[in-house]
């Protein structure tokens, strides 16, 4: 136990009460049955608590993972789900060893909000068959399955299951507003079970027989020939497990003072949990945001609370399996429908949607893709769109401004000639592939110019595309007889300029200077040699250069 063993014990027991109906419900929704959800909560929950990187994280089966598992179960059966879980666990351990945990923080908030909204929608729709009291139709697309279930219900409506689901969901949602600390989910499920037993509601199907203990570990599901087929689903499961677990751990950090998770260790712990869970018939697991939040709010101070949660669920499996087996599926559907509703943070969604139009677009696209396609496609689409919009915004920061020349000691006539034949441009901002197409359009189209001075000291980023565009612009100017003088090349940009041959071109076809005033002074000297400007006495010319350099 941690420094506050009583608080950890109370927190663990409270989380177990909250987690029991969720573990059962998500096990049923995944297609492997309620026992798979319980096994996952016990085995994965304990291992992730022991070896994970967060002191407060609670792991187990989650709605987001169920969304991914349903199509896998429909296509490959229970053995396929177990294989996918094992492969995903190995991938998570590999990610931990590669120290990839820190990169998960770069997922944009609109993507997270979008797929959370989409997941909530999918979880709610997945419960429709049980809430209507019909057998779940075949299929792996939640919208299609939901529509078929509604059609079947309309043909022979029986409102008993609907009443159970609505009653449980209502009690949970109303109770959460009135008394947030009371575990209304388990109370509602107990009441629904008692009503079903007392009034002999045979129309409401129960969970069914559960094993009175954990099954023996087995590798009988292994099928080497199926690895190639299951590799892509395993990547999807590993990606989701990493994202959701690290997001949940970050939420726990934000709810406490002084707690900070280790992302790589968290991936390692989740990897071990997902390697072990399939051996006992469990589904893939992740860190669970709702259960972790309950754990923190009830005073947990160490990982002992998560271990107590897993141990309490194990006791329930051994001691109360006959009672648990009588819980109506419609009641569990009500629990998950309420959970889906509570997942939607309307205030956060409004804030994200109102922030900027690109944020709103990413949020809507990610949520829609989650409903219409699947979660992995949704995350990929969200990340790609967010990345493109971000690059577009950064690219717009690139500016090419004309810099007025220093008048110095020139007469009005001399200055007019100088200004006509010499132009200085300052490139400001990133010069990379997304912004390069806008680079130097004005300099390459300038007329009556004999010398162009390019100041690149304010270029923040330069890649190969930007360097090639710079090289191309210099070549175009050279072909028209325009001399290009460059100033302020940063040491960090010399390598990329040299790699594409731009640095040699700048040095051989023109000249390179440390400062812009030096380049402008030599530009005037070049014009004097070409006869475009009247010669200035040496002393005055030197004085002008010294003044401009200052």
């Amino acid at each position: 136990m941690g420094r506050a063993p009583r608080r950890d014990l109370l927190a663990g027991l409270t989380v177990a009460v909250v987690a029991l109906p969720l573990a059962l419900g998500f096990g049923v929704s995944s297609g492997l049955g309620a026992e798979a959800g319980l096994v996952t909560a016990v085995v994965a929950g304990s291992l992730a608590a022991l070896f994970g990187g967060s002191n407060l994280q609670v792991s187990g089966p989650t709605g987001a993972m169920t969304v991914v598992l349903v199509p896998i179960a429909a296509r490959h059966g229970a053995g396929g789900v177990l294989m996918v879980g094992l492969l995903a666990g190995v991938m998570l351990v590999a990610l931990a060893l590669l120290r990839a945990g820190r990169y998960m923080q770069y997922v944009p908030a609109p993507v997270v909000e979008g797929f959370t909204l989409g997941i909530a929608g999918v979880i709610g729709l997945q419960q429709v068959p049980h809430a209507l009291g019909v057998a779940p139709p075949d299929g792996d697309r939640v919208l299609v399955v939901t529509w078929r279930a509604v059609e079947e219900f309309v043909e022979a409506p029986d409102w008993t299951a609907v009443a159970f689901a609505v009653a449980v969901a209502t009690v949970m949602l109303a109770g959460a507003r009135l008394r947030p600390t009371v575990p209304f989910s388990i109370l509602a499920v107990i009441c629904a079970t008692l009503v079903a037993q007392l009034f002999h509601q045979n129309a409401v199907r129960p969970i069914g027989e559960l094993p009175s203990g954990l099954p023996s570990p087995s590798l009988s599901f292994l099928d080497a020939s199926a690895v190639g087929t299951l590799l892509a689903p395993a990547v999807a499961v590993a990606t989701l497990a990493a994202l959701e677990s690290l997001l949940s751990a970050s939420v726990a950090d934000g709810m406490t003072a002084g707690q900070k998770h280790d992302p790589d260790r968290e991936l390692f712990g989740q990897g071990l949990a997902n390697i072990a869970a399939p051996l006992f018939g469990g589904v893939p697991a992740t860190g669970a945001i709702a259960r972790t939040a309950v754990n923190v709010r009830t005073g947990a101070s160490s990982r002992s609370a998560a271990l107590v949660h897993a141990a309490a669920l194990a006791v329930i499996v051994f001691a109360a399996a006959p009672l648990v087996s009588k819980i109506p599926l419609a009641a569990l559907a009500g629990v998950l429908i309420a959970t889906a509703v509570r997942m939607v943070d309307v205030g956060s969604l409004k804030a994200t949607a109102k922030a900027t139009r690109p944020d709103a677009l990413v949020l809507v696209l990610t949520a829609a893709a989650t409903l219409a396609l699947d979660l992995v496609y949704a995350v990929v689409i969200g990340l790609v769109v967010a990345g493109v919009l971000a690059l577009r915004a950064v690219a717009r920061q690139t500016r090419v401004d004309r810099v007025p020349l220093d008048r110095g000691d020139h007469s009005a006539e001399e200055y007019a000639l100088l200004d006509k034949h010499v132009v200085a441009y300052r490139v400001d901002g990133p010069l990379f592939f997304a912004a390069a197409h806008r680079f130097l359009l004005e300099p390459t189209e300038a007329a009556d110019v004999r010398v162009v001075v390019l100041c690149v000291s304010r270029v923040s980023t330069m890649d190969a595309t930007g360097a090639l565009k710079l090289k191309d612009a210099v070549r175009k100017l050279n072909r028209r007889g325009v001399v290009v003088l460059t100033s302020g090349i940063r040491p960090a940009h010399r390598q990329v300029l040299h790699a594409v041959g731009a640095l040699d071109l700048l040095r051989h076809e023109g000249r390179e200077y440390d400062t812009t005033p030096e380049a402008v002074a030599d530009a005037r000297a070049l014009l004097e040699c070409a006869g475009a400007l009247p010669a200035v006495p040496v002393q005055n010319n030197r004085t002008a250069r010294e003044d401009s350099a200052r």
Side-chain angles (χ1 to χ4, degrees):
M1 287 284 179
R3 293 182 223 174
R6 289 185 180 179
R7 287 167 55 190
D8 285 337
L9 180 62
L10 176 62
L13 293 174
T14 304
V15 175
V17 169
V18 173
L20 176 60
L22 294 176
L24 294 170
F26 289 136
V28 172
S29 295
S30 70
L32 270 69
E35 64 274 13
L38 279 174
V39 166
T40 302
V42 174
V43 176
S46 56
L47 287 174
L50 281 172
F51 298 101
S54 171
N55 290 330
L56 304 175
Q57 177 97 287
V58 178
S59 300
T62 64
M65 187 60 75
T66 302
V67 172
V68 178
L69 296 179
V70 168
I72 297 174
R75 293 171 191 167
H76 306 286
V81 173
L82 299 180
M83 276 279 290
V84 163
L86 184 64
L87 291 172
V90 173
M91 292 177 187
L92 287 169
V93 171
L95 287 174
L97 296 178
L98 293 172
R99 305 189 66 80
R102 59 186 180 275
Y103 296 112
M104 297 298 173
Q105 63 184 316
Y106 297 115
V107 179
V111 176
V112 175
E113 293 287 350
F115 80 66
T116 302
L117 176 60
I119 287 167
V122 174
I123 292 172
L125 291 173
Q126 283 178 343
Q127 309 317 310
V128 169
H130 290 309
L132 296 178
V134 301
D138 294 332
D140 57 3
R141 294 296 179 193
V142 66
L143 293 174
V144 176
V145 170
T146 302
W147 180 256
R148 290 175 181 169
V150 171
E151 287 181 330
E152 186 176 341
F153 175 79
V154 169
E155 290 177 1
D158 184 339
W159 296 95
T160 309
V162 176
F164 273 80
V166 171
V168 170
T170 302
V171 168
M172 281 185 62
L173 294 174
R177 283 181 169 272
L178 298 174
R179 294 288 182 87
T181 57
V182 177
F184 282 98
S185 59
I186 193 69
L187 294 177
V189 168
I190 291 173
C191 290
T193 306
L194 290 174
V195 169
Q197 294 300 309
L198 289 174
F199 293 95
H200 305 289
Q201 294 294 335
N202 296 326
V204 182
R205 290 182 298 150
I207 289 176
E209 185 178 354
L210 290 175
S212 58
L214 292 176
S216 301
S218 171
L219 289 173
S220 59
F221 60 87
L222 283 181
D223 182 2
S225 63
V227 171
T229 306
L230 297 174
L231 204 55
V235 171
V237 169
T239 302
L240 176 59
L243 286 172
E244 191 173 13
S245 297
L246 294 179
L247 176 62
S248 177
S250 298
V251 169
D253 290 347
M255 294 176 67
T256 57
Q259 293 282 354
K260 186 171 177 60
H261 74 282
D262 181 337
D264 295 313
R265 183 178 172 184
E266 181 62 28
L267 290 180
F268 182 76
Q270 295 294 337
L272 291 184
N274 279 287
I275 289 172
L279 305 182
F280 295 88
V283 296
T286 74
I289 296 177
R291 276 156 274 177
T292 299
V294 171
N295 193 40
V296 175
R297 284 199 295 263
T298 49
S301 62
S302 73
R303 58 188 71 225
S304 300
L307 288 170
V308 169
H309 138 268
L313 290 177
V315 171
I316 292 172
V317 172
F318 283 104
L323 296 176
V324 172
S325 66
K326 296 178 181 179
I327 294 174
L329 288 172
L332 291 181
V335 169
L336 298 187
I337 289 171
T339 301
V341 172
R342 293 175 64 181
M343 284 177 66
V344 180
D345 187 340
V346 177
S348 181
L349 287 174
K350 284 183 177 179
T352 304
K354 289 181 178 179
T356 64
R357 287 185 179 179
D359 286 338
L361 176 63
V362 170
L363 189 155
V364 172
L365 279 177
T366 307
T370 303
L371 283 169
L373 302 173
D374 64 44
L375 190 61
V376 178
Y377 281 122
V379 172
V380 171
I381 290 171
L383 289 175
V384 169
V385 174
V388 170
L389 293 174
L391 288 173
R392 179 169 168 260
V394 172
R396 287 182 171 181
Q397 297 175 8
T398 303
R399 298 199 321 272
V400 181
D401 300 321
R402 183 166 179 174
V403 182
L405 302 178
D406 185 7
R407 190 178 185 90
D409 295 333
H410 303 297
S411 65
E413 182 182 355
E414 291 174 345
Y415 181 76
L417 287 172
L418 184 66
D419 192 52
K420 178 181 179 182
H421 297 303
V422 178
V423 290
Y425 291 98
R426 177 183 293 116
V427 186
D428 201 335
L431 186 57
F432 68 130
F433 70 93
H437 68 284
R438 302 174 57 232
F439 175 66
L440 287 183
L441 293 178
E442 188 176 350
T444 55
E445 295 171 1
D448 299 325
V449 172
R450 300 192 181 186
V451 181
V452 169
V453 177
L454 293 179
C455 175
V456 295
S457 61
R458 295 188 184 180
V459 173
S460 56
T461 302
M462 184 183 295
D463 69 355
T465 305
L468 285 170
K469 286 294 182 182
L470 175 62
K471 180 181 177 181
D472 185 52
V474 173
R475 278 181 171 168
K476 286 182 178 178
L477 291 168
N478 289 159
R479 290 194 201 104
R480 291 171 41 209
V482 178
V483 178
V484 180
L485 309 181
T486 314
S487 69
I489 298 177
R490 292 186 177 187
H493 301 154
R494 289 185 178 277
Q495 174 61 34
V496 65
L497 288 169
H498 176 71
V500 301
L503 192 60
D504 292 338
L505 180 67
L506 291 171
R507 288 173 173 172
H508 297 157
E509 301 297 329
R511 297 177 188 175
E512 182 193 345
Y513 302 86
D514 292 331
T515 65
T516 300
E518 292 176 346
V520 173
D522 272 13
R524 190 199 188 290
L526 288 172
L527 292 178
E528 288 176 4
C529 294
L533 282 178
V536 177
V538 174
Q539 182 62 36
N540 289 346
N541 191 31
R542 183 183 303 115
T543 302
R545 292 191 193 186
E546 291 172 354
D547 290 342
S548 63
R550 294 193 193 101

